[in-house]
Amino acid sequence: MKPKVAFFDFASCEGCQLQVVNLEAEMLDVIGAVDIVQFREAMTEKSDDYAIAFVEGSITREKDIPRLQKIRDQAKILVALGACATIGGVNCLKNFQPLEEVRKYVYGDKAGWYETFAARPLDAVVPVDYYIHGCPIHKDEFVKVVKALLLGKKPEIPSYPVCVECKRAGNVCVFELGMRCLGPVTRAGCGAWCPSYRDNCVGCRGLVPDPNTNAEKEVLQKYGLTVEEALGQFRIFLGYSEVAK
Amino acid sequence: MKNVSVNVDHVTRVEGHGNIVVNVKEGKIEECQWEVVEAPRFFEAFVRGRSYLEVAHIVSRICGICSVGHTLASLQATEAALGVRISEQTRLLRRILIQGENLQSHVLHAYFLAAPDFVGAPSVFPLVKTHPEVVLRALRMKKLANDLCDVFGGRTVHPITPTVNGFTKLPEIKDIKAIRQRLVEATPDLEATMSLFQTLKLPNFQRETEYISLKNKEEYALYDGVIASTDAGTTPVENYRSWTNEYLVPQSTAKYTKHVRESYFVGALARFNNNHEQLSPRAKKVAQALGLKATCTNPFMNTVAQVVEAVHAADESIRLIDQVLDKGLKEEDRRVLLKAGKGVGAVDVPRGILFHDYTYDKNGICREANCIIPTNQNHANIQKDMEALLPQILDKPQEEIRLSLEMLVRAYDPCISCSTHLLKVEFV
């Protein structure tokens, strides 16, 4: 029997689910191999009987918690889909400002109507089995993870930094172009997506497990940056880990 | 007398979370409401304190589907604030990029989100078995549009290369030529799409309202222009606040807007009503074949206007690509002089006109931000349409009422992630 799969989302742009829809040709293979029972962005029919849950988005309000717990209770395997879910991502930018002020800034005197708390990744609330990193996720990595899960294997996610992939791609280091970059401490797996287009890495895949000891950290030193300074500058996706420290 | 209770909790096949609540007691409508229940995300607060180079990357994350549009509106606003005049080359490449997004988004909505209703399917997935040629065609067209965005923006979802005053990396001429060839070869798919939508029967529901979009005397406006209304002429984009008049309602985490009337419409149908004379000759023929005529006041026809725009997007992309190939591309100096300032950007994205407005300090740090999203501008119009449609269909079975209301909401192609996230039909 084909495994039953469901997609869910919390606070997010739904771009990672869109990346799944964007699989195009491969999407038909995925549809052939699994039984998608819930995917609100794409389908009306739904069932709460599923074994694998892909969850996009950050947890940003009290009422998200029981909803996520229910998904966790039902799913045998819970996969966090994309930066909002895996590391908190862009939603955590608000955590650096007093939340009352944030609500008032956007909703004025009606701020009280809009519940919110400090944004957090899924694993701050429930255990997560696997992570598909990135903002957005990379389509190839999604397919790789689905294949591994179907074979009953543990998906392999790189623990080395983006620098490794960037050098392999033969890119000119963006530091040499006068930019600053988080490639030396960010988890690889995207194929150095942004530096390959001459833009700096902003850490959307989260940090490598050992940012302060990994060898590529020397790249930062060479250009006069400590890991802490680099992180402070690139808060866009990594705000939660900064807060957690 | 009849009781009707519809309660659609999270309308499906839309981007984001919204509900429809309808309650009819003994033939009397007690409740008829469109609710936006998306988790609020507070992007305007996110960008405060961030550098002018980061802001477009942050606000791109408002929405995965419209990330090109958010990126471009953001860059325009930042450039207006800094007093930067972009080159003709940059403007040309951005105009191709927004056509790519329009094509991608319209194919997604017309085929994946709206069309299943017309063949009685709950989603596109069962159609893989019953109508494989339709699904394969949709996937082919979507891939073409995504690849077009990849060539010109580095990536479709959250583009990489568009940046303040230019591009971090220019597209390769060989990739541009290859995508041009595929756009030419898409003709049979575009024609088949037109034929498919000719066979679909849309509800004949009319309600007069105001239609607002960009307008540009040079072309069918998407990337830039002035604000235009079917009721009130035109005004520069800097006046967007007095034309949108945002307000809050308790049933929605999204803001509502109004202008001349109680509500107004933005999106493909608004652009068609304001600018149809500037469509490509082929797109005009498709509009005629599909029975779309300005000024069209049937909101269900928005999906048809999207099909017309998809054809226009292919034609316009080819026309603009030919200009690129004719002139060639050259590396340009992207450096800008920082200064304090305030600027507004407006792009007509797949779901309608989008405004970004920023204030920067002299160090290029964003101090104030305001974004007005297309779907938010449509919420009040959706509500007014529901109120007008419901009495006309009250004699129908409850399931049919529910489906009609859901189809109405879907016709707007709401993108609630953008607006924050809302959509739920409740028949209580």
Side-chain angles (χ1 to χ4, degrees), chain B residues 226-242:
Chain B
V226 294
I227 315 174
S229 150
T230 44
D231 284 354
T234 63
T235 194
V237 297
E238 289 73 21
N239 295 338
Y240 78 96
R241 275 184 197 266
S242 63

Side-chain angles (χ1 to χ4, degrees), chain B residues 45-82:
Chain B
F46 293 177
V47 297
R48 287 200 302 171
R50 308 311 304 174
S51 144
Y52 74 105
L53 286 171
E54 277 182 306
V55 169
H57 284 310
I58 294 172
V59 296
S60 167
R61 271 71 186 181
I62 291 175
C63 175
I65 296 191
C66 339
S67 54
V68 167
H70 279 291
T71 298
L72 297 182
S74 173
L75 293 173
Q76 276 183 10
T78 296
E79 286 155 355
L82 299 178

Side-chain angles (χ1 to χ4, degrees), chain B residues 54-345:
Chain B
E54 277 182 306
V55 169
H57 284 310
I58 294 172
V59 296
S60 167
R61 271 71 186 181
I62 291 175
C63 175
I65 296 191
C66 339
S67 54
V68 167
H70 279 291
T71 298
L72 297 182
S74 173
L75 293 173
Q76 276 183 10
T78 296
E79 286 155 355
L82 299 178
V84 172
R85 281 183 65 94
I86 60 165
S87 69
E88 264 314 301
Q89 173 177 298
T90 294
R91 180 166 174 267
L92 181 56
L93 296 175
R94 287 181 184 176
R95 279 149 71 212
I96 299 170
L97 196 50
I98 194 69
Q99 292 294 344
E101 178 171 82
N102 217 33
L103 180 58
Q104 181 270 130
S105 179
H106 287 350
V107 170
L108 176 74
H109 179 251
Y111 274 96
F112 287 62
L113 309 182
D117 285 330
F118 300 107
V119 295
S123 76
V124 75
F125 298 127
L127 303 186
V128 175
K129 279 211 179 85
T130 57
H131 302 71
E133 75 297 343
V134 174
V135 176
L136 286 172
R137 185 197 313 137
L139 290 172
R140 226 171 16 241
M141 291 171 68
K142 231 176 90 51
K143 182 157 172 52
L144 168 63
N146 282 337
D147 290 349
L148 176 63
C149 291
D150 283 350
V151 169
F152 287 90
R155 184 165 63 196
T156 300
V157 178
H158 307 316
I160 300 169
T161 60
T163 187
V164 175
N165 203 20
F167 288 78
T168 59
K169 187 165 185 280
L170 293 169
E172 305 276 345
I173 294 293
K174 69 170 173 22
D175 295 336
I176 297 176
K177 285 184 173 161
I179 203 82
R180 185 195 186 280
Q181 184 58 27
R182 285 173 58 199
L183 284 161
V184 171
E185 288 163 4
T187 294
D189 282 347
L190 290 165
E191 284 170 356
T193 302
M194 184 193 81
S195 305
L196 172 71
F197 279 84
Q198 265 180 321
T199 64
L200 302 181
K201 265 189 71 107
L202 291 165
N204 180 22
F205 164 73
Q206 311 286 339
R207 190 179 73 83
E208 279 191 21
T209 189
E210 182 181 9
Y211 293 87
I212 294 183
S213 71
L214 279 182
K215 191 173 204 54
N216 187 326
K217 56 181 184 304
E218 185 189 330
E219 63 192 11
Y220 190 88
L222 290 186
Y223 175 69
D224 52 9
V226 294
I227 315 174
S229 150
T230 44
D231 284 354
T234 63
T235 194
V237 297
E238 289 73 21
N239 295 338
Y240 78 96
R241 275 184 197 266
S242 63
W243 274 45
T244 52
N245 304 301
E246 279 194 309
Y247 63 101
L248 289 160
V249 293
Q251 73 268 27
S252 163
T253 45
K255 294 176 178 177
Y256 281 44
T257 57
K258 63 180 166 189
H259 182 226
V260 173
R261 310 180 190 222
E262 282 179 306
S263 68
Y264 64 87
F265 189 117
V266 299
L269 188 59
R271 289 191 289 265
F272 176 84
N273 280 339
N274 280 319
N275 304 319
H276 58 98
E277 284 168 4
Q278 292 162 297
L279 285 167
S280 71
R282 185 162 67 151
K284 277 182 189 161
K285 276 189 201 143
V286 171
Q288 201 176 17
L290 294 175
L292 181 63
K293 255 174 55 193
T295 303
C296 172
T297 59
N298 179 353
F300 289 95
M301 290 295 275
N302 191 46
T303 310
V304 170
Q306 290 182 333
V307 171
V308 170
E309 282 195 347
V311 174
H312 179 78
D315 291 342
E316 186 69 356
S317 299
I318 293 170
R319 183 179 78 88
L320 297 173
I321 282 174
D322 285 344
Q323 291 182 20
V324 173
L325 295 175
D326 188 42
K327 292 175 191 157
L329 291 174
K330 60 171 196 301
E331 290 288 340
E332 296 175 324
D333 187 353
R334 288 187 277 115
R335 284 173 298 179
V336 299
L337 286 173
L338 295 182
K339 67 176 186 74
K342 175 176 161 48
V344 176

Side-chain angles (χ1 to χ4, degrees), chain A residues 12 22 24 105-107 197, chain B residues 45 142 146 168 253 255 368 421:
Chain A
S12 66
N22 281 349
E24 283 124 15
Y105 187 63
V106 178
Y107 292 110
Y197 285 100
Chain B
K142 231 176 90 51
N146 282 337
T168 59
T253 45
K255 294 176 178 177
E368 303 287 343
H421 273 223

